[in-house]
Amino acid sequence: MLRRKVAAYVTLTKPRIIELLLITTVPTMILAHYSVRTDNSLLPGWDLMAATAIGGFLAAAGANTINMIVDRDIDKLMERTQDRPLVTGVITPRQAAIFATLLSVGSFMLLWSLVNLLSAVLASAALAFYVLVYTIWLKRKSVRNIVIGGAAGAVPVLVGWAAVTNTLDWAPIVLFAVIFYWTPPHFWALAIHYHDDYTAAKVPMLPAVVGVPATARKIVAYSVALWALTILFAPVASMGILYWVAAVVLGAGFVIPAISVMRNPQPERALQLFHWSITYLVLLFVAITADVLIRAQNHP
């Protein structure tokens, strides 16, 4: 019983989503450190990276938990979410609310005390935006829900940069835009696969409102814009040849399957694009990290 309860609390945090947020935060910290370093060190301090990662984890976990509290009525209507803890009753709404409060407050206090106030404010702002703008306002009312609400998932790069420099710059802003434009095609691909779920729950995700073919065309448009932004990031952040090549190749590798979905918008093909979009983002940030570390070693 205890093990089931603990597993349910972990599920509330949506750990797979948080993994992606941390994958974007830490490489951004490494890039920020390289841009301002005054010695030959390759990385920010491990204590700073750990505090920022844990603080970001807590903020995202708090936001995800609140999301599940608010959405428990529609979660029980969708096959994909019927096993969530608040639907099955393993966790009560009150227990989840206490858990979310502890996570959210803990995130702000940890980041403020061990990192800096700017990173704490940014993380808390992302949490508030995700809950108030996306979950409570847009998700059930607007077809642009994920387009606007997805901005919350792009904030971790700002948090990572601010954690190292205590300021913001154009490089993290362009990275913010990269993730902002990555989010709609990533999520719309999943929404195509679960089109019937969103229709049953009356959630106005794009495929349930305009249809699958129109959504597939939107996926291509956003994928092309994403590709352009990843290339723009190279000169803005003074990236090296490794990143340039990765941005061009990965961008093509994202647009081509997006076009394939547009030409043949089947749920299985859309789900393949969804899974590939995760790998794409991971590889892009691995390329950023590798590019920075190689240049740092060659030019101490």
Side-chain angles (χ1 to χ4, degrees):
M1 183 63 182
L2 177 61
R3 181 177 296 179
R4 186 185 180 200
K5 199 86 167 180
V6 171
Y9 277 111
V10 172
T11 300
L12 286 178
T13 68
K14 299 183 182 178
R16 290 186 178 180
I17 294 177
I18 295 176
E19 288 174 7
L20 277 179
L21 301 182
L22 298 182
I23 284 169
T24 63
T25 302
V26 175
T28 305
M29 294 182 71
I30 295 171
L31 175 62
H33 175 76
Y34 179 71
S35 71
V36 300
R37 68 176 184 159
T38 56
D39 54 29
N40 293 334
S41 59
L42 295 178
L43 301 171
W46 289 103
D47 54 343
L48 179 64
M49 288 196 292
T52 305
I54 294 171
F57 174 89
L58 294 175
N64 291 333
T65 299
I66 297 171
N67 174 268
M68 285 203 191
I69 295 172
V70 175
D71 283 353
R72 64 188 187 278
D73 59 327
I74 59 175
D75 281 348
K76 68 182 179 182
L77 301 176
M78 298 194 293
E79 182 180 348
R80 181 173 68 92
T81 55
Q82 285 177 348
D83 292 331
R84 286 180 172 176
L86 285 163
V87 176
T88 61
V90 177
I91 302 291
T92 67
R94 181 175 181 275
Q95 290 171 332
I98 294 171
F99 184 55
T101 301
L102 292 174
L103 291 169
S104 305
V105 173
S107 167
F108 184 87
M109 297 306 296
L110 188 149
L111 289 171
W112 187 15
S113 60
L114 298 183
V115 184
N116 55 47
L117 180 58
L118 179 57
S119 64
V121 169
L122 286 169
S124 295
L127 185 157
F129 189 90
Y130 182 74
V131 170
L132 298 176
V133 176
Y134 172 67
T135 302
I136 294 177
W137 178 30
L138 292 174
K139 184 173 182 179
R140 305 182 191 217
K141 296 180 180 179
S142 173
V143 71
R144 298 185 65 80
N145 45 24
I146 199 65
V147 175
I148 299 171
V155 172
V157 296
L158 303 182
V159 174
W161 190 278
V164 174
T165 67
N166 201 21
T167 188
L168 292 175
D169 206 337
W170 282 111
I173 291 172
V174 175
L175 269 187
F176 175 94
V178 165
I179 300 172
F180 182 84
Y181 273 85
W182 168 85
T183 301
H186 162 73
F187 199 89
W188 286 335
L190 181 67
I192 287 175
H193 185 76
Y194 289 105
H195 170 273
D196 293 341
D197 266 6
Y198 289 112
T199 301
K202 297 181 179 178
V203 176
M205 287 298 173
L206 196 64
V209 176
V210 304
V212 171
T215 301
R217 290 193 293 271
K218 284 278 191 180
I219 287 175
V220 172
Y222 271 79
S223 299
V224 171
L226 168 65
W227 192 7
L229 283 165
T230 61
I231 294 172
L232 173 64
F233 176 72
V236 169
S238 301
M239 300 302 292
I241 187 64
L242 190 154
Y243 174 80
W244 274 98
V245 172
V248 171
V249 173
L250 288 172
F254 197 94
V255 170
I256 290 171
I259 292 174
S260 176
V261 171
M262 182 180 68
R263 289 176 173 172
N264 186 14
Q266 298 301 315
E268 295 77 14
R269 188 164 293 192
L271 188 62
Q272 290 173 355
L273 178 61
F274 167 77
H275 289 305
W276 163 239
S277 70
I278 297 172
T279 303
Y280 163 87
L281 193 68
V282 172
L283 292 176
L284 185 71
F285 277 83
V286 167
I288 290 173
T289 304
D291 184 277
V292 170
L293 293 180
I294 291 171
R295 286 187 292 130
Q297 286 181 322
N298 292 336
H299 304 284

